[in-house]
Amino acid sequence: MARSSPAFTCTACGAAHGKWAGRCDACGAWNSVHEEAPLSTAPKSLGARGRTIALSDLSAKEAPPPRAPSGMEELDRVLGGGLVPASAILVGGDPGIGKSTLLLQAAASFARAGRKSLYISGEEAAAQIRMRAQRLGLSDAPVILGAETNLRDILTTLDAERPALAVIDSIQTMWLDSVESAPGSVSQVRAAAHELVTFAKRRGVAVILVGHVTKDGQIAGPRVVEHMVDTVLYFEGERGHQFRILRAVKNRFGPADEIGVFEMTGDGLAQVTNPSALFLSDRDRPAPGSVVFAGMEGSRPVLTEIQALVAPSTLGTPRRTVVGVDSGRLSTILAVLEARCGIPFAEQDVFLNVAGGMRIGEPAADLAIAGALLSAREDVAIPPDMVLFGEISLSGALRPASQTENRLKEASKLGFSQATLPSRSKPGPAEGMRIRQMPDLAAFVGEMFGPR
Ligand code: TYD
Ligand code: MG
């Protein structure tokens, strides 16, 4: 019989490889393919007959899942309204970003709301967690603590305790004695996640798994368990910024594009209920290269500042440095500016940055990015009370973004009085703002920076 289990696995995405490779074909990660002890998966022959399973149709009425709000509004929004019993949630993020802090605070608010909450750490001793809780002012919350890595013992304990919520910090430290490879390997992480997800479904417990995003490839990353859980959240932030963003990337029980915004303070994570005000707070005078983008994050409009710097390059291949926006997007916009508007950037270094450590994935940011690049290149400031949004197509035409009215409403609320958008957008009542609508990028360049 052919060997069914691979000898090499990618620790970033879990793909199986027949032999070692420097780069994983499946996800493109470097140095992430490692040998793993093959699972003892000699398939047993299906000699005995299985039993027939119960089947049903689609018509039976199902009530929406009951939800337990945590009381942390930013967390509840990302979860789609609260924790769903019998669900498994993965919270991924870089080491040190604040996952343990967030989940200890979440467990405490659940416990205070009268729901039995367990926090099991495989990384810290109970004394360390108690010290953290003291610093966070959570010592009085009735959270039950455990420090353990043996999953068999943890599952037995959970079975006996029957909590409403169990936090497992982190999935990479858990190990099952039935799996031969070392803790942190792809097979251990997968097997441990499988046991915990099965337990969640069987016992009606909401289980939150913490997963470190790993850089060196020795330890399996959270992506290898993404497909097993109901909800995947990533906790992101730039080092050096105090803002942290909790982003839903998959949610079987709610929208998958919501964000929650937090600020890391001396005593834990504070919720930021008006992120636009925060991301714009340190804007001062009109400055060339600085533009405000009226974006949407899930159901919520968020205004962010996009900053660009364009300087003559001394390098053969000029520099393109991007923070907070996909670098492919920047290249596309530069190419469209050159091809459709005749504005070259070939001899210029370009630096692009989203203020406050925010990440923007929306194509609607294109017009604001182009505005920032042009404003920096021409050294002409865009009026500081103006917001921009709209997608740029390769032909140079501007395409309308979704939810134009919501974006304008938020901008008006924050004191902006002008907006530039694509011709085909429907601004609605526009909240008393002065609206300029442009059919394409060339018209925008002519209007803002004069004819060329
Ligand atoms: P932590 O929750 O341990 O990160 P993770 O579990 O994702 O690895 O967060 C650690 C960082 O957060 C650490 O660098 C210190 C900082 N921090 C604060 O700034 N304020 C606080 O109240 C706490 C508890 C941590
Ligand atoms: Mg931690």
Side-chain angles (χ1 to χ4, degrees):
M1 179 161 286
R3 237 178 51 176
S4 59
S5 78
F8 293 88
T9 331
C10 168
T11 52
C13 69
H17 294 265
K19 58 182 172 41
W20 185 84
R23 182 168 189 255
C24 170
D25 302 334
C27 69
W30 288 95
N31 254 341
S32 63
V33 177
H34 292 271
E35 186 165 12
E36 285 222 359
L39 291 176
S40 47
T41 49
K44 294 196 186 78
S45 87
L46 282 175
R49 270 171 66 101
R51 59 185 176 81
T52 44
I53 58 168
L55 303 171
S56 63
D57 60 22
L58 290 173
S59 64
K61 285 267 178 300
E62 288 290 338
R67 286 182 188 272
S70 66
M72 288 168 83
E73 206 187 303
E74 294 295 301
L75 175 63
D76 290 341
R77 184 201 348 268
V78 178
L79 289 171
L83 269 186
V84 177
S87 68
I89 298 157
L90 172 71
V91 177
D94 289 333
I97 203 78
K99 300 179 295 298
S100 305
T101 310
L102 175 73
L103 293 175
L104 189 59
Q105 285 182 247
S109 28
F110 273 106
R112 282 183 176 147
R115 297 197 164 78
K116 191 166 178 180
S117 304
L118 249 96
Y119 183 98
I120 310 272
S121 178
E123 303 193 335
E124 290 164 294
Q128 266 176 299
I129 305 168
R130 274 193 291 271
M131 264 158 56
R132 184 194 296 249
Q134 252 165 41
R135 195 141 46 87
L136 298 173
L138 302 175
S139 300
D140 61 325
V143 177
I144 306 169
L145 282 187
E148 182 54 61
T149 55
N150 183 332
L151 200 61
R152 191 187 293 272
D153 298 346
I154 293 173
L155 287 171
T156 308
T157 313
L158 290 180
D159 227 358
E161 293 284 337
R162 293 292 180 90
L165 166 69
V167 177
I168 307 293
D169 188 1
S170 65
I171 188 69
Q172 283 113 337
T173 53
M174 299 294 145
W175 64 280
L176 272 170
D177 44 18
S178 54
V179 177
E180 267 177 32
S181 49
S185 64
V186 172
S187 10
Q188 275 289 2
V189 166
R190 271 200 185 143
H194 176 76
E195 289 297 326
L196 285 160
V197 172
T198 318
F199 172 82
K201 305 284 166 198
R202 198 159 34 95
R203 294 293 188 213
V205 175
V207 173
I208 301 185
L209 310 176
V210 173
H212 292 295
V213 172
T214 52
K215 292 275 187 305
D216 65 356
Q218 291 291 333
I219 293 178
R223 280 185 57 194
V224 305
V225 299
E226 276 185 355
H227 62 285
M228 290 183 208
V229 297
D230 300 303
T231 303
V232 177
L233 310 179
Y234 276 92
F235 203 39
E236 316 170 336
E238 293 290 334
R239 277 190 200 282
H241 283 294
Q242 66 274 45
F243 313 125
R244 298 284 182 271
I245 289 163
L246 186 65
R247 193 183 288 279
V249 297
K250 161 178 170 182
N251 197 347
R252 287 188 184 143
F253 303 111
D257 51 1
E258 291 287 355
I259 62 163
V261 184
F262 297 86
E263 190 176 356
M264 183 59 101
T265 67
D267 29 71
L269 289 157
Q271 305 190 66
V272 176
T273 43
N274 187 352
S276 304
L278 188 95
F279 290 130
L280 296 177
S281 60
D282 40 7
R283 257 169 72 79
D284 29 32
R285 275 158 284 107
S290 152
V291 160
V292 177
F293 165 55
M296 292 296 300
E297 291 289 346
S299 59
R300 201 157 47 152
V302 177
L303 267 54
T304 30
E305 184 186 344
I306 295 180
Q307 304 160 342
L309 181 67
V310 175
S313 180
T314 53
L315 304 170
T317 312
R319 229 180 244 281
R320 303 283 183 248
T321 305
V322 197
V323 179
V325 181
D326 179 43
S327 58
R329 209 65 216 163
L330 171 66
S331 308
T332 309
I333 296 169
L334 290 174
V336 175
L337 279 170
E338 175 146 10
R340 310 293 173 202
C341 310
I343 304 174
F345 283 85
E347 285 168 10
Q348 244 110 20
D349 287 336
V350 173
F351 304 86
L352 191 75
N353 179 36
V354 179
M358 181 75 185
R359 271 201 71 79
I360 299 180
E362 261 196 300
D366 291 355
L367 186 60
I369 295 172
L373 293 170
L374 289 163
S375 158
R377 188 180 187 282
E378 307 291 307
D379 202 25
V380 173
I382 288 204
D385 62 343
M386 176 185 283
V387 295
L388 295 97
F389 55 91
E391 186 179 341
I392 299 174
S393 65
L394 292 182
S395 67
L398 297 184
R399 287 209 215 111
S402 61
Q403 311 208 45
T404 298
E405 289 193 38
N406 280 338
R407 295 174 201 257
L408 292 174
K409 204 181 275 175
E410 175 79 357
S412 161
K413 203 168 82 191
L414 287 155
F416 289 82
S417 56
Q418 306 183 52
T420 302
L421 17 150
S423 290
R424 286 192 288 127
S425 294
K426 305 221 166 32
E431 315 291 327
M433 293 179 82
R434 183 164 161 229
I435 306 288
R436 278 190 250 206
Q437 293 190 269
M438 309 283 168
D440 53 30
L441 199 52
F444 169 73
V445 173
E447 169 90 13
M448 291 287 177
F449 308 99
R452 39 206 59 238

